[in-house]
Amino acid sequence: PPEVMETAEIALTLQTDFNGSGGVDFVDFTIFASYWGIDCASELCGPANLDGIGSVDVADLAIFAENWLWGK
């Protein structure tokens, strides 16, 4: 149903607002970039492993980019 999709989209957007400022901006990107390339099996990936798979990589960047400037 549309209501479920809307709720999931909002949760995903908030997931990329790493500093809780109410929007996705360069501060969040800086946090994301600090985890770039980290293998999450051997190190902590913090909030940046957005797809929950392997390492912080292009797939995670694609999710982040979908939400770029949300709330700004």
Side-chain angles (χ1 to χ4, degrees), residues 14-62:
L14 296 177
Q15 182 184 11
T16 58
D17 179 16
F18 300 132
N19 66 338
S21 67
V24 181
D25 56 20
F26 279 109
V27 175
D28 300 297
F29 180 74
T30 301
I31 295 167
F32 176 82
S34 71
Y35 292 100
W36 184 258
I38 292 178
D39 178 5
C40 301
S42 61
E43 297 183 55
L44 295 177
C45 293
N49 189 14
L50 298 170
D51 66 358
I53 301 170
S55 62
V56 180
D57 57 16
V58 174
D60 302 301
L61 179 58

